[in-house]
Amino acid sequence: MSSQLLWFVFVLSIITFVEGNISIGGEGCSLNDLRGLTSFKAGIQIDSSGRLPKWVGHSCCKWEGIVCDNRTGRVTEIYLPGLISSDEFFFQSQMNGQLSPLITLLTSLEVIDLGGLVGLAGNIPSSIGYHLPNLRKLNLYGNNLTGDVPESIGKLSKLEELLLYENRLSGSLPPSLGKLENLKMLLLNSNQFSGPIPDSFTNLTNLIHLDLHSNYLTDQIPDRIDQLQVLKELDLSNNSLRGNIPQSLTNLTSISVMYLDTNYLEGEIPFPSSFGQLPSLAFLRLHNNSLTGKIPPSFGYLVSLQRVSLANNNLSGAVPSSLGNLIALTELYLDGNRLSGQIPTSIGQLSQLILLSISHNLIEGPLPHEMSLLQNLQTLDLSFNSLELSTIPQWLAELPSLSRIFLAGCGIQGKIPEFLQTTPSPIQELDLSANNLSGSIPAWLGSLTQLYLLNLSRNSLVSNIPDTVTSLQNLGVLDLHSNKLTGPINQIFEIGKGFPDGSLTCIDLSDNSFSGGIEEIGMGAQCGIQFLNLSHNFLEGRIPITIARMISMQSLDLSYNELSFNLPEALANASLLETLKLQKNHFTGKIPIGFLELRNLKELDLSDNLLEGEIPVGEPLSNFPESSYSGNKGLCGKPLIPCKLRF
């Protein structure tokens, strides 16, 4: 009797399985597949692509984004990426809703592509590894998924691509991922993963691309990482990894991209130890760590390097002459270290070099004349070294491609050299700050019509701002602070006049002796100004109501001037304002009630004026300390003493 019962249960289970996977009416959609897809659709509240509303009826193999096996009728692919493209257009669609766990009913799936849907939330189904044995590609990147990566995912033995980047996934990385021996792409970057990189990852011997950047990963890089012999791209940047860089990395013969920057790595640069190691390495980033020691002379063996950044470490010693062997190099970042000595003459051999940054080191002069051979150099930053140049070498201004020149804190003296107006390539960015420049700002600067950034701050420049600056229609950043400049500032607010928005975003004229032109604020094309500092001058008059046009303003500092009259209500129109400093002036009247609309305000100083009346009640004004309002004898109300006690 018991054997007959067991036989009945066995037959019933077979029938149930077959019925679940048989297609309806021969139209190519099993009951389980249909149930899984309709459950997915039900979990989505908004589909801006319009694909899911077309999922009607039972013929799911005909639905958009669904691919079936012609032989079995089972669904093998769900292809609903957020980015929809054709020969004629690109469209970024969005799905808002929850990822249904019943998607695992589609047991014949080989591809799931739900990447870049932005609003897709929920968890990765915990049982995914038990139900989708044929899955080759799992693309869930660019969504709003939370929770951890389930341990069962390690059972997807056929998986070749696992793309989960740009979500809000958290927890530790499961060691079971190391069982996915067919995996070629593992992209888990831009999530909230923590803990160590599992040692089991070194078993992924078919891995070509590993990206774990922008998480909270800790501990050391696994020593056996050299087992990943076909690995071409490795990105572990922007984590909290510690310890030394493993010597074993030198054995990665296929690697072309290695990003280990923005961690807490220490010790010396361990590679290469001999010629022929890392033969394909083209892009190397080690910046923002705590690396010490010298740049090894053997670094010149990395002959395939195109871009390298060793910036912001504690590297010392001389720049090795062997860097001249890196003839494919286009970008070299050595800034923010303790490198000393002179720039080697071999630097002139880097004929492909586009960018050279050695700022904030201890480099000494003179500059080698061989640098004049850098015919493709576009950006040069030698700022804040011990160069003591006295003058800018004329050959530097004759480099045919140079358009961005940063020579701050280089000991340059005298007037701004006139040969800068006739450079072969129009200057786009010029930083000569923190030098010993004297004389006036030359009128010919107005001829640099491609100029976007001009920083002449912290010098000894005198006289007025020349009227020709109004010709700088592309100027975005102007910094003249801490000089001895005089006269009005109205020319600044005429830059970009005639253009709808203008390009100016940042102006700093503080710590000078300017005395007029405040009435021109907002009169030109200044809608895009985000930072304006006119403090520590001798500006007089009132803040004009035209300041209301500066709707992009985030920081305004007019402190330590001779400004007076009432504070304009129009200032409340700058709703993005985060910093407002008006202290040490002669403002009178009440604080406008409209200031309560400055919801983003984080820093406020109205102290030492002649303001009176009650401070408008409410946030953000009531959040600031007494020091924000002190020195105004007529003010009362929170956070000062209540008005009823004063009067």
Side-chain angles (χ1 to χ4, degrees):
M1 196 64 185
S2 59
S3 60
Q4 290 178 330
L5 180 60
L6 287 173
W7 175 251
F8 175 76
V9 171
F10 173 74
V11 171
L12 182 62
S13 64
I14 293 294
I15 292 172
T16 302
F17 174 80
V18 171
E19 285 183 346
N21 292 285
I22 198 167
S23 59
I24 299 174
E27 294 183 351
C29 194
S30 77
L31 287 172
N32 279 344
D33 289 353
L34 185 63
R35 184 182 172 202
L37 291 174
T38 53
S39 178
F40 171 77
K41 177 183 176 181
I44 305 300
Q45 284 80 51
I46 298 174
D47 172 22
S48 64
S49 71
R51 289 173 291 188
L52 296 187
K54 300 175 186 176
W55 285 14
V56 293
H58 298 124
S59 300
C60 66
C61 291
K62 297 179 181 179
W63 292 351
E64 186 175 356
I66 302 300
V67 177
C68 293
D69 185 314
N70 290 331
R71 183 177 56 85
T72 65
R74 296 300 307 278
V75 174
T76 57
E77 294 186 23
I78 300 177
Y79 185 73
L80 295 170
L83 184 62
I84 302 171
S85 62
S86 68
D87 294 336
E88 299 176 355
F89 70 93
F90 287 91
F91 173 59
Q92 176 60 55
S93 63
Q94 183 171 342
M95 288 188 186
N96 290 352
Q98 298 284 315
L99 177 63
S100 171
L102 295 185
I103 199 169
T104 57
L105 289 174
L106 292 94
T107 54
S108 293
L109 276 175
E110 298 177 14
V111 175
I112 298 176
D113 191 342
L114 300 173
L117 293 172
V118 184
L120 184 62
N123 306 122
I124 300 172
S126 60
S127 61
I128 190 170
Y130 299 108
H131 299 292
L132 305 181
N134 298 313
L135 200 63
R136 293 182 294 104
K137 297 182 180 181
L138 179 58
N139 298 348
L140 297 174
Y141 62 87
N143 285 300
N144 198 26
L145 299 175
T146 54
D148 55 11
V149 176
E151 187 76 25
S152 72
I153 211 163
K155 296 186 178 296
L156 300 175
S157 59
K158 295 183 180 180
L159 202 63
E160 298 175 5
E161 292 183 11
L162 180 57
L163 279 55
L164 304 179
Y165 60 91
E166 294 176 3
N167 279 285
R168 294 193 295 127
L169 299 168
S170 58
S172 300
L173 297 175
S176 63
L177 288 175
K179 298 177 181 179
L180 303 175
E181 296 180 356
N182 291 302
L183 204 61
K184 296 178 181 178
M185 294 181 65
L186 178 57
L187 310 185
L188 305 178
N189 54 286
S190 304
N191 279 287
Q192 299 169 18
F193 294 120
S194 57
I197 300 172
D199 286 332
S200 63
F201 277 27
T202 60
N203 298 327
L204 303 174
T205 54
N206 286 303
L207 205 60
I208 295 173
H209 189 178
L210 173 60
D211 194 341
L212 305 177
H213 86 262
S214 298
N215 282 289
Y216 302 101
L217 300 175
T218 55
D219 291 355
Q220 299 185 357
I221 300 171
D223 280 333
R224 294 176 58 248
I225 197 165
D226 61 336
Q227 299 298 306
L228 309 180
Q229 280 296 298
V230 297
L231 192 67
K232 293 183 178 180
E233 297 185 42
L234 173 65
D235 192 346
L236 305 179
S237 65
N238 199 21
N239 279 288
S240 297
L241 299 173
R242 298 179 181 273
N244 293 350
I245 299 174
Q247 177 75 38
S248 59
L249 280 171
T250 59
N251 300 323
L252 295 176
T253 55
S254 300
I255 196 89
S256 63
V257 176
M258 187 189 298
Y259 295 161
L260 307 179
D261 60 277
T262 319
N263 281 288
Y264 298 101
L265 300 174
E266 53 194 22
E268 299 185 352
I269 299 172
F271 50 75
S273 56
S274 62
F275 184 78
Q277 292 182 331
L278 300 170
S280 303
L281 188 61
F283 305 99
L284 174 64
R285 295 194 330 214
L286 300 178
H287 60 265
N288 295 344
N289 279 292
S290 300
L291 301 176
T292 54
K294 298 180 179 181
I295 300 173
S298 60
F299 212 77
Y301 293 152
L302 301 174
V303 292
S304 295
L305 275 179
Q306 296 177 38
R307 291 203 296 266
V308 59
S309 178
L310 307 179
N312 298 323
N313 282 287
N314 293 310
L315 300 172
S316 56
V319 178
S321 60
S322 62
L323 291 188
N325 298 330
L326 307 178
I327 57 175
L329 203 61
T330 60
E331 297 180 20
L332 176 60
Y333 302 87
L334 302 176
D335 48 285
N337 283 287
R338 295 186 292 113
L339 300 171
S340 56
Q342 296 180 342
I343 296 174
T345 57
S346 62
I347 202 86
Q349 298 168 203
L350 304 178
S351 59
Q352 302 301 311
L353 200 62
I354 294 173
L355 184 148
L356 175 60
S357 178
I358 317 183
S359 68
H360 295 88
N361 278 288
L362 305 171
I363 301 295
E364 301 171 358
L367 297 178
H369 192 268
E370 285 79 2
M371 289 181 69
S372 64
L373 301 175
L374 301 176
Q375 300 292 292
N376 289 301
L377 194 66
Q378 298 175 12
T379 301
L380 176 64
D381 192 349
L382 304 176
S383 300
F384 299 106
N385 277 287
S386 302
L387 291 170
E388 298 302 326
L389 291 181
S390 295
T391 59
I392 300 174
Q394 187 156 350
W395 57 258
L396 189 147
E398 294 172 355
L399 290 171
S401 304
L402 192 63
S403 60
R404 295 176 175 86
I405 304 170
F406 302 91
L407 298 175
C410 288
I412 302 169
Q413 302 176 13
K415 296 183 177 182
I416 299 172
E418 194 169 339
F419 55 70
L420 289 177
Q421 70 174 308
T422 56
T423 55
S425 183
I427 296 178
Q428 297 177 19
E429 299 185 27
L430 179 63
D431 185 352
L432 301 178
S433 62
N435 282 293
N436 297 307
L437 295 173
S438 56
S440 60
I441 298 175
W444 56 257
L445 271 178
S447 67
L448 305 181
T449 55
Q450 298 300 309
L451 199 61
Y452 174 77
L453 179 147
L454 177 62
N455 189 348
L456 302 176
S457 65
R458 297 162 63 191
N459 281 288
S460 298
L461 298 170
V462 298
S463 192
N464 296 6
I465 298 174
D467 292 340
T468 54
V469 298
T470 58
S471 300
L472 301 176
Q473 302 294 346
N474 292 300
L475 195 65
V477 178
L478 176 64
D479 192 348
L480 303 178
H481 85 265
S482 303
N483 279 285
K484 300 175 182 178
L485 299 169
T486 57
I489 59 172
N490 55 290
Q491 311 95 315
I492 301 303
F493 299 109
E494 293 178 16
I495 295 174
K497 212 167 188 177
F499 292 79
D501 297 318
S503 56
L504 268 173
T505 60
C506 177
I507 301 173
D508 191 346
L509 306 181
S510 62
D511 281 307
N512 281 286
S513 298
F514 293 118
S515 56
I518 189 74
E519 65 279 357
E520 295 293 328
I521 288 182
M523 295 297 288
Q526 298 142 41
C527 295
I529 292 179
Q530 299 173 16
F531 178 95
L532 178 61
N533 190 347
L534 305 178
S535 66
H536 293 272
N537 281 289
F538 299 100
L539 299 173
E540 300 177 339
R542 68 171 75 225
I543 300 175
I545 60 172
T546 49
I547 200 168
R549 299 176 185 173
M550 304 178 76
I551 56 176
S552 300
M553 186 83 73
Q554 295 177 26
S555 177
L556 176 63
D557 190 347
L558 303 178
S559 62
Y560 293 88
N561 279 287
E562 305 293 332
L563 299 170
S564 54
F565 298 96
N566 291 1
L567 296 176
E569 184 92 27
L571 194 54
N573 201 47
S575 59
L576 300 179
L577 207 60
E578 297 179 5
T579 300
L580 178 60
K581 295 183 177 182
L582 302 176
Q583 73 270 24
K584 295 287 185 179
N585 281 286
H586 307 297
F587 292 115
T588 58
K590 295 183 177 182
I591 299 174
I593 194 169
F595 278 24
L596 292 173
E597 298 301 317
L598 299 175
R599 302 294 186 188
N600 294 300
L601 205 59
K602 297 179 176 65
E603 185 176 2
L604 174 68
D605 197 338
L606 303 178
S607 64
D608 297 310
N609 281 286
L610 302 172
L611 299 171
E612 59 186 15
E614 184 176 14
I615 298 170
V617 178
E619 296 181 349
L621 299 186
S622 59
N623 294 338
F624 296 106
E626 290 184 19
S627 57
S628 294
Y629 305 101
S630 63
N632 292 280
K633 294 183 178 180
L635 274 184
C636 59
K638 190 177 179 181
L640 302 179
I641 64 172
C643 294
K644 61 183 179 181
L645 296 181
R646 177 178 290 275
F647 300 109

